[in-house]
Amino acid sequence: MRNTPKQLISLFATAGFLAVSLHQAKAQDANAIVKKMVQTYKSFNTYTETSEAKIALLGAPSQIQTTVFKFQKPSKFYVQTSDPQSGTLAIYSDSTQVSIYGGRQNIFTKRDYAGNFVSTVRTYEKVAKDMLDMNITQIISPISLMTAGENGLREGKNFRYLGVKDVNRRPAHVIVSPVDLDWLITIVGKQDFIPASSQVKLWIDKQSNLLVHAVIQFVWKAKVQRPGVKDKMILQGLVLDEVHRNQVVDKPIDVNVFRFSPPAGSKQIFPESR
C-alpha cells in the first residue's frame, strides 16, 4: 500500500477546486452570452433575416422549411414559412391588426391588435390553432428571442461553453444546453414520457451577438396504448437544424410589408363562424 503525502493531497484538492471554478466560470460565461444575445435582439428598431431549417422526425423523411422575417419596433412584423407538408403560412402585424394566412387552403383570419409584441405573438399562436388548425411554435427564432423572459430562453437554460468556430468566415461562440423539461412538455404534451438525448446547441456571432446557427434535438420514450396490444415504450423525437442568413439590423423597411392584402379567391374565417 502506497502512502500519499499530505502536500500532494492538498495539491489535488486545490487543483480540483480550480477545475470546478473554471467549469463554473465557463458555464456562467455561456449563459452570459445567451443573455447578451437576447438583449441584442430586444434592442433592434428594425430587423430582417431569412432562415432555412432541416426538420427530421424519427422514422420519417426530413424536410426543408424556409422562413422570411421582418420586424419594426414596437410591434410591426411579417413572417412567412414554407415547407412541403404544411405549405405556406404568413402572419402580418401592422400594429392595429394581426392577419394569418394559410396558403395551402387559401384562407385567412384577422384579429384586432392585442397589445404589445409579446401578447400579439401569443394571440396569433392561439388563433392559428383555434381557427386554422395550425400549430405554430417558435423554436429558437428571432421571435422567441425577442419575447424571451427574464429567466432566459425557454428551450434551454443551463448552457456551457464549447469554444469558437468559424461560421461564414466569422468567429462564433458555440454553446450547448440540455433541453428544458418544462418547455419539452409544451412540445410533447402532457403524456407519460421519458426524456432521452435532448439538447440545444447554438452558434452566436462573436461580433454582432446574432444567432447564426441552431441545432435542437429532442428525443423521448413514450408509452403507446392500442386496443388488444400490450403497452410498450417507443422512441420518438425531432431534430431541427436551422441556419440564419441575410441578417440586417436597423435599416428602413417598407411599411407595406406589414399590411395584409387577401389573395384572389381567398376565404376569410370569422370567429363567430366556428
Side-chain angles (χ1 to χ4, degrees):
M1 180 174 174
R2 208 158 95 189
N3 294 323
T4 304
K6 292 183 178 180
Q7 294 88 342
L8 192 55
I9 293 176
S10 300
L11 179 59
F12 286 158
T14 304
F17 175 77
L18 178 60
V20 171
S21 299
L22 288 174
H23 175 76
Q24 291 175 343
K26 283 189 174 183
Q28 184 178 5
D29 288 344
N31 289 306
I33 290 169
V34 170
K35 185 175 181 180
K36 190 172 183 179
M37 174 182 65
V38 169
Q39 291 173 340
T40 297
Y41 276 82
K42 289 186 175 186
S43 71
F44 296 151
N45 290 310
T46 67
Y47 179 71
T48 67
E49 73 158 43
T50 60
S51 61
E52 182 177 281
K54 182 178 181 181
I55 303 172
L57 290 167
L58 289 185
S62 62
Q63 64 177 356
I64 302 296
Q65 184 179 85
T66 59
T67 302
V68 176
F69 177 71
K70 299 179 185 290
F71 167 83
Q72 180 174 309
K73 193 171 279 188
S75 57
K76 291 185 175 72
F77 68 91
Y78 163 75
V79 56
Q80 176 182 290
T81 61
S82 300
D83 65 65
Q85 182 176 347
S86 303
T88 297
L89 174 68
I91 303 164
Y92 302 75
S93 171
D94 63 3
S95 292
T96 62
Q97 199 170 62
V98 179
S99 303
I100 306 171
Y101 172 72
R104 172 157 290 180
Q105 302 151 294
N106 201 22
I107 58 177
F108 69 93
T109 189
K110 295 184 177 183
R111 292 293 184 278
D112 291 335
Y113 177 55
N116 60 28
F117 182 58
V118 174
S119 60
T120 301
V121 170
R122 300 294 176 257
T123 294
Y124 84 65
E125 289 177 336
K126 185 176 188 305
V127 170
K129 175 60 178 175
D130 293 346
M131 301 299 299
L132 304 179
D133 196 27
M134 294 179 177
N135 288 311
I136 305 175
T137 301
Q138 296 296 327
I139 302 177
I140 304 292
S141 69
I143 291 178
S144 71
L145 297 177
M146 291 176 179
T147 57
E150 294 181 357
N151 294 327
L153 304 183
R154 297 175 300 169
E155 298 87 347
K157 293 182 170 60
N158 299 308
F159 284 90
R160 58 189 176 88
Y161 196 74
L162 297 183
V164 176
K165 184 175 180 180
D166 280 357
V167 179
N168 297 326
R169 291 176 291 185
R170 290 170 60 92
H173 299 292
V174 185
I175 60 177
V176 66
S177 168
V179 167
D180 183 76
L181 182 58
D182 291 336
W183 178 78
L184 183 59
I185 290 173
T186 67
I187 302 296
V188 176
K190 293 183 178 179
Q191 59 172 308
D192 291 333
F193 72 95
I194 302 172
S197 54
S198 299
Q199 69 171 20
V200 50
K201 189 175 182 180
L202 307 178
W203 289 255
I204 302 170
D205 188 281
K206 286 186 67 175
Q207 182 176 349
S208 66
N209 303 314
L210 297 179
L211 177 66
V212 291
H213 188 189
V215 176
I216 299 182
Q217 172 179 299
F218 34 99
V219 179
W220 64 93
K221 292 180 180 179
K223 184 180 292 185
V224 176
Q225 298 177 333
R226 294 176 184 170
V229 178
K230 186 178 180 180
D231 293 352
K232 65 176 182 178
M233 302 293 288
I234 64 170
L235 196 65
Q236 299 178 330
L238 170 69
V239 177
L240 183 148
D241 187 331
E242 187 166 30
V243 177
H244 300 262
R245 301 187 176 96
N246 305 317
Q247 297 165 302
V248 180
V249 176
D250 292 343
K251 299 294 184 183
I253 300 176
D254 183 354
V255 294
N256 290 315
V257 170
F258 308 113
R259 296 171 183 154
F260 174 68
S261 297
S266 60
K267 178 183 177 181
Q268 183 171 3
I269 307 299
F270 296 93
E272 54 269 21
S273 66
R274 180 177 170 85

